[in-house]
Amino acid sequence: FMLAWPFGDALRLMSSYAWKEFDEGPPGVKTDSLHDSADRVNSTVCRLTPTTSPVTDEYDMDQSRPWVCEHRWTGVASLVRFRRLIGKQHAVHMPWADQEGHAAFSLGNIGFVAMCRGYNWFTKQGSHTAWDLTGQKSGMPAAIYCNLAALVGPLPQPSQWDGRCSGDTIVVTGDGYVAKGTVPPGGVVAIHAQYRSSNTA
């Protein structure tokens, strides 16, 4: 939400590691050491994007992947690009929400975001059900769009976009309504006018 909503001038993304005791250093550094260097951070020691909320103890204490690496989670890097492209010149309009944990809003006629609350195993609230966006007003031009929130890794500049989507696509009709698209439970859909799918089917 913070990356999609055009508020403020800057956001800080965490890229951290997990610990059991408050005074633990990063992985690879001995206690009280001033000279050890942390283990090299690469994708093999980074945890995958969480699939539960909140995360489980097993996820939190996974010593084989001690780095949390939030910046590498699915959708984060592409939503950073989304935020940069939207800026503050495109006002939020058509905000929509219901009592089922669904929310959506448009950003001018170049961006649309929809979110679906997932199931929280601790509070026993939320849902395992995806949200069918069919009939939702988006304010977007007619096209087939890539869901930027489903991409892994950096999103190229619009001029370098090849139209290939790694996740689901969202189909918008000429009147700005979604004809096809779903938001997974605990997930996000974010589409931008300059990131259309090359798939015309």
Side-chain angles (χ1 to χ4, degrees), residues 4 11 34 37 77 82 105 107 109 127 140 154 164 188:
L11 290 176
L34 298 176
S37 60
F82 180 87
F105 56 90
L107 296 150
N109 64 346
S127 172
M140 299 286 287
R164 289 185 293 179
V188 178

Side-chain angles (χ1 to χ4, degrees), residues 4 102-105 112-116 131 133 136 147 149 182-184 187-191:
H102 306 139
F105 56 90
F112 172 74
V113 177
M115 296 168 280
C116 178
W131 178 23
L133 290 174
Q136 182 69 41
N147 179 13
T182 58
V183 187
V188 178
V189 159
I191 59 177

Side-chain angles (χ1 to χ4, degrees), residues 28-39:
V29 175
K30 296 186 206 65
T31 303
D32 297 327
S33 172
L34 298 176
H35 304 290
D36 283 349
S37 60
D39 291 340

Side-chain angles (χ1 to χ4, degrees), residues 64-75:
S64 66
R65 292 176 177 262
W67 291 93
V68 180
C69 305
E70 290 93 334
H71 66 290
R72 295 188 181 185
W73 289 355
T74 301

